[in-house]
């Protein structure tokens, strides 16, 4: 028999050994996890043993309502009035509450970026990671809690990996989806959508909201003495905002669906509005916090504010900026652009022209704001003497067109960030998608190449616009016609159109060559150049080439380092990229700058930091390749001369002054210059790895036939008049011969 003292000693040693073993085991588990997730997973192992449990059908559904301490969370004050709901219609009008009651605290609706209330936590922008989203049950992996993000898209396939919502494993009132904010947060509202699907109709029509500090004890948001039932969606795409009657401070928030569309299932996409409370000791907050030192106007600008900002930039830097417009929208709003150059208003011989355009889809507003931030930044840095920006402005003529579709933007701006859904404001006022509204020149070129006997009738560059497209009855937006006229007027060399909803750079062709296919890699003759241009932007973006980054919706672009051939993604006829390449000299790419089309105003500083370096680097690529002049023997520039590169089946032409720019990757090239009525000239031109285009000039002379034609035209196609004396001599000789 063991003495009691020895027994206690053995027991204590055994306990210590077990504790040490447990800590060692947890240590091993933590070492296998990424550094940023170690303490989070340890907490999950220790504290959340019943996390995924839910009451059985025979159990009463009554979430725990134990009140946390006052130092942890603010108490829930009883509201005197039911909350105001957002109705599931375009107008997003608030539903009427009980007029006899009055709310204790009203949070303003999330309009124009939810400026006056708390911002979104970041389900849509991916700031909330997949590890912070949990659910009671799921139908399958592709419909897991990680897919319950506002505006997430399922794509055509709706497969087991990428579907369009969180869907519960069964339809009963015991299901929930939960967000872990990882810190105390003042929750103020919930925005919900149904399931994104081409084939199914699933949405939640009412739900409860619960909060907790430990994910065990839950407080249900009350309406007076009873649990508050929030009204949800009436269809699957239009977001519906519900504000909490009073802000509630907690770490976890849970949405419990109570009713759903009778012919569908419990499926939700959501965003949570909340203000994280200051916590300098919170590792996750410090890691994700983004600040900028640039003193810029970080806000969403409506049409009037955009014009005013352009005016301010022009007044700050009058010597390097010019405001002009390229036309008007369907509603009569002018399409304003800002030129940045050391000689604004004129094309300088030998200086390339660059353009950024944004807002073809009016609801993709991040590109618009990045353009406004870029013009402010370049003005400030030029005044501060930044040598990089000064060099870029002095050697390049830059054009920034922030909003091609101002009518669509105003529609999206009216409802504000998070509430416009995926498509409100995308199209022009007359329902046209500008991005795909350009002439389809690909088909003309490919049909000519396939029928070789007609090949000469269609050139490999500067393909003319079909007559039917120019007619007044053609379905062409006035904004599109204005952009085409602008593209034809200025000899652009390189351009980028900023879009949203994804994080990738797409390069042409955007249209597949094979009939009946919707996806197929379709390269241009300049595929290697386009790949480099795309990579130059993606590789300098803070997130595009990050292999740890979660995909925005359904596509993983990491295999090509954040770039993609447009046609291999999805085929589009009449894209601005293909048209620009085949009708002008300009190489154009589509730059998708963020998963969230309309990020909250508070996200703009971080989005600027994500894209600032990329925006500058991409502009600098206009100076890569060869450049020069094509002149005649008298030294005069020859306009419209053709510049061909041996082995590349795509030519460019000289501008009105005879100057040209040809984008090329480093290497040695055989370059040919030719023009109608002139003999061709060939040169070997080498492109180095250093920034700066190689000078490659040509002097060509007129052909004999061209000289004869010139003489004939000079004298009105009449025989040359000889002197009267010589005519008399010839007449005298004829008479003598007789």
């Amino acid at each position: 028999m063991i003495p009691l003292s020895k027994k206690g000693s053995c027991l204590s040693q055994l306990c210590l050994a077990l504790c040490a073993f447990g800590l060692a085991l947890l240590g091993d588990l933590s070492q296998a996890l990424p550094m940023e997730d170690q303490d989070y997973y340890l907490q999950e192992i220790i504290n959340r043993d019943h996390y995924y449990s839910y009451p059985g059908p025979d159990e009463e559904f009554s979430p725990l309502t134990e009140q946390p301490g006052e130092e942890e969370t603010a108490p829930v004050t009883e509201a005197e009035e039911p909350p105001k709901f957002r109705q599931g219609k375009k107008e997003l009008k608030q539903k009427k509450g009980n007029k006899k009651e009055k709310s204790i605290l009203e949070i303003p609706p999330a309009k124009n970026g939810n400026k006056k209330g708390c911002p979104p936590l970041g389900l849509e922008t991916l700031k909330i990671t997949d590890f912070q989203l949990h659910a009671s049950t799921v139908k399958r992996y592709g419909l897991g809690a990680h897919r319950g993000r506002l505006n997430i898209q399922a794509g055509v396939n709706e497969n087991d990996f990428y579907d369009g919502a969180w869907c519960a494993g069964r339809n009963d009132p015991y299901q929930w989806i939960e967000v872990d904010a990882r810190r105390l947060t003042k929750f103020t509202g919930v925005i919900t959508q149904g399931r994104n699907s081409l084939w199914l109709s699933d949405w939640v029509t009412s739900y409860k909201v619960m909060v907790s500090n430990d994910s065990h004890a839950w407080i249900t948001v009350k309406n007076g003495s009873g649990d508050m039932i929030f009204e949800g969606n009436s269809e699957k795409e239009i977001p519906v905002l519900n504000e909490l009657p009073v802000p509630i401070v907690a770490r976890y928030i849970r949405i419990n669906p109570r009713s759903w569309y009778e012919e569908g299932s419990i499926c939700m996409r959501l965003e949570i509005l909340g203000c994280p409370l200051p916590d300098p000791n919170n590792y996750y907050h410090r890691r994700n916090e983004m600040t900028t030192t640039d003193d810029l106007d970080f806000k969403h600008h409506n049409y009037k504010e955009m014009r005013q900002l352009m005016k301010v930039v022009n007044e700050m830097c009058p010597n390097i900026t010019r405001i002009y417009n390229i036309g008007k929208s369907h509603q009569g709003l002018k399409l304003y652009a800002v030129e940045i150059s050391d000689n604004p208003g004129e094309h300088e011989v030998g200086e390339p022209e660059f353009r950024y355009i944004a807002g073809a889809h009016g609801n993709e507003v991040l590109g618009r704001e990045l353009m406004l931030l870029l013009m402010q930044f370049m003005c400030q840095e030029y005044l501060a003497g930044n040598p990089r920006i000064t060099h870029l402005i002095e050697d390049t003529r830059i054009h920034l067109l922030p909003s091609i579709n101002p009518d669509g933007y105003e529609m999206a701006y009216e409802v504000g960030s998070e509430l416009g859904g995926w498509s409100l404001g995308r199209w022009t006022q007359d329902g046209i998608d500008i991005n795909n509204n350009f002439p389809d020149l690909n088909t003309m070129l490919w049909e000519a190449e396939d029928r070789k006997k007609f090949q000469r009738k269609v050139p490999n560059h500067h393909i003319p616009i079909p007559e039917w497209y120019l007619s007044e009855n053609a379905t062409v937006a006035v904004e599109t016609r204005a952009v085409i006229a602008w593209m034809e007027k200025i000899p652009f060399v390189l351009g980028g159109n900023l879009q949203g909803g994804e994080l990738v750079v797409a390069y042409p062709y955007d249209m597949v060559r094979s009939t009946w296919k919707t996806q197929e890699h379709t390269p241009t003759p300049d595929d290697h150049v386009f790949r480099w241009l795309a990579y130059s932007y993606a590789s300098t973006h803070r997130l595009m080439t990050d292999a740890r980054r979660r995909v925005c919706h359904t596509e993983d672009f990491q295999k090509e380092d954040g770039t993609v051939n447009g046609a291999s993604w999805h085929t589009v006829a009449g894209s601005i990229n293909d048209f620009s390449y085949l009708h002008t000299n300009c190489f154009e790419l589509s730059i998708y700058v963020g998963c969230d089309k309309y990020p909250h105003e508070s996200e703009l500083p971080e989005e600027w930091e994500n894209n600032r370096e990329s925006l500058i680097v991409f502009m600098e690529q206009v100076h890569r390749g060869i450049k020069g002049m094509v002149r005649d023997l008298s030294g005069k520039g020859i306009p419209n001369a053709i510049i061909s590169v041996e082995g590349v089946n795509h030519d460019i032409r000289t501008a009105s002054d005879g100057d040209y720019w040809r984008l090329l990757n480093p290497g040695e090239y055989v370059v040919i210059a030719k023009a109608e009525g002139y003999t061709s000239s060939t040169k070997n031109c080498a492109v180095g790895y250093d920034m700066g285009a190689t000078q490659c000039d040509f002097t060509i002379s007129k052909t004999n036939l061209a000289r004869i034609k010139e003489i004939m035209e000079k004298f009105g196609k009449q025989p040359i008049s000889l002197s009267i004396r010589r005519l008399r001599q010839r007449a005298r000789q004829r008479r003598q011969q007789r």
Side-chain angles (χ1 to χ4, degrees), residues 196-214:
N196 176 252
S197 172
L198 294 173
W199 325 110
L200 301 172
S201 298
D202 301 315
W203 62 83
V204 170
T205 56
S206 68
Y207 58 88
K208 289 182 181 180
V209 176
M210 295 173 281
V211 295
S212 172
N213 278 342
D214 58 7

Side-chain angles (χ1 to χ4, degrees), residues 303-585:
Y303 182 75
K304 182 178 179 181
E305 292 167 338
M306 180 187 73
R307 288 188 305 168
Q308 182 60 33
L309 180 61
M310 288 179 171
K311 184 179 179 182
V312 169
V313 172
N314 179 242
E315 290 174 350
M316 285 179 61
C317 299
N319 296 329
I320 61 167
T321 61
R322 177 177 71 99
I323 303 173
Y324 66 100
N325 75 81
I326 67 168
K328 292 184 178 181
S329 71
H330 187 271
Q331 293 281 79
L333 300 178
K334 292 181 179 179
L335 308 179
Y336 285 107
V338 169
E339 176 192 340
I340 304 177
S341 172
D342 59 343
N343 268 311
E346 62 179 87
H347 170 70
E348 295 183 69
V349 176
E351 187 169 283
E353 308 257 0
F354 176 92
R355 70 166 179 255
Y356 271 132
I357 59 179
H361 298 149
N363 63 331
E364 296 171 8
V365 306
L366 179 55
R368 170 190 175 114
E369 295 306 327
L370 288 175
M371 290 298 92
L372 297 177
L373 292 169
L374 181 62
M375 63 180 69
Q376 298 174 64
F377 175 79
M378 295 192 73
C379 173
Q380 290 181 6
E381 294 300 300
Y382 182 83
L383 294 177
N386 183 326
R388 182 186 184 190
I389 299 301
T390 301
H391 178 73
L392 185 61
I393 291 174
E394 290 178 348
D395 292 348
T396 320
R397 192 181 181 205
I398 301 165
H399 303 259
L400 306 179
L401 179 59
S403 186
I404 310 177
N405 182 10
D407 299 346
Y409 174 82
E410 292 301 307
M411 292 175 62
Y413 182 82
E414 279 303 307
V415 299
S417 173
E418 326 316 324
L419 296 183
W422 190 249
S423 59
L424 180 64
R426 174 186 177 94
W427 298 279
T428 62
Q429 189 69 25
D430 47 348
I432 296 175
D433 186 337
I434 295 176
N435 196 53
N436 311 327
N437 192 223
F438 292 81
D440 172 17
L441 305 181
N442 305 56
T443 302
M444 295 173 58
L445 174 65
W446 293 336
E447 286 181 352
E449 289 179 348
D450 292 339
R451 289 180 271 178
K452 293 184 179 179
K453 59 182 179 179
F454 299 111
Q455 187 171 356
R456 294 184 180 179
K457 293 186 178 180
V458 178
N460 66 8
H461 68 292
H462 282 244
I463 301 173
I465 297 174
E467 291 185 8
W468 66 264
Y469 187 90
L470 300 174
S471 68
E472 293 182 1
N473 296 327
T475 307
V476 182
V478 293
E479 295 90 344
T480 308
R481 294 193 189 277
V483 172
I484 290 175
W486 183 52
M487 294 165 71
E488 292 177 333
K489 181 180 179 181
I490 299 175
F492 292 112
V493 179
L494 178 61
N497 56 86
L498 305 189
Q499 302 189 44
E502 263 298 349
L503 204 54
V504 67
V505 182
Y507 55 89
Y509 288 123
D510 291 329
M511 180 180 176
V512 297
R513 185 162 186 165
S514 301
T515 310
W516 308 116
K517 286 191 176 181
T518 58
Q519 292 178 313
E520 182 184 49
H521 183 74
T522 310
T524 66
D526 286 288
D527 189 56
H528 291 292
V529 178
F530 275 114
R531 283 174 178 268
W532 167 255
L533 293 172
Y535 184 70
S536 71
Y537 193 100
S539 62
T540 49
H541 190 279
R542 289 186 63 252
L543 299 175
M544 275 191 192
T545 55
D546 186 352
R548 300 168 299 174
R549 179 178 67 84
R550 183 198 186 281
V551 300
C552 292
H553 301 283
T554 62
E555 301 286 345
D556 185 0
F557 300 108
Q558 292 306 313
K559 59 185 177 182
E560 293 188 41
D561 294 317
T563 69
V564 67
N565 173 256
S568 67
W569 184 11
H570 53 258
T571 185
V572 169
S575 76
I576 186 173
N577 294 343
D578 290 2
F579 173 78
S580 180
Y581 181 67
L582 295 176
H583 185 67
T584 73
N585 288 344

Side-chain angles (χ1 to χ4, degrees), residues 347 349-350 627-632 636-641 643 653-661 696-698:
H347 170 70
V349 176
K627 65 177 182 179
M629 291 285 300
V630 179
R631 300 182 177 91
D632 60 18
K636 184 179 179 182
I638 301 173
N640 220 32
I643 304 296
R653 301 203 177 198
T654 57
S656 58
D657 296 309
D659 48 349
Y660 77 91
W661 306 262
C696 203
D697 297 322
F698 294 88

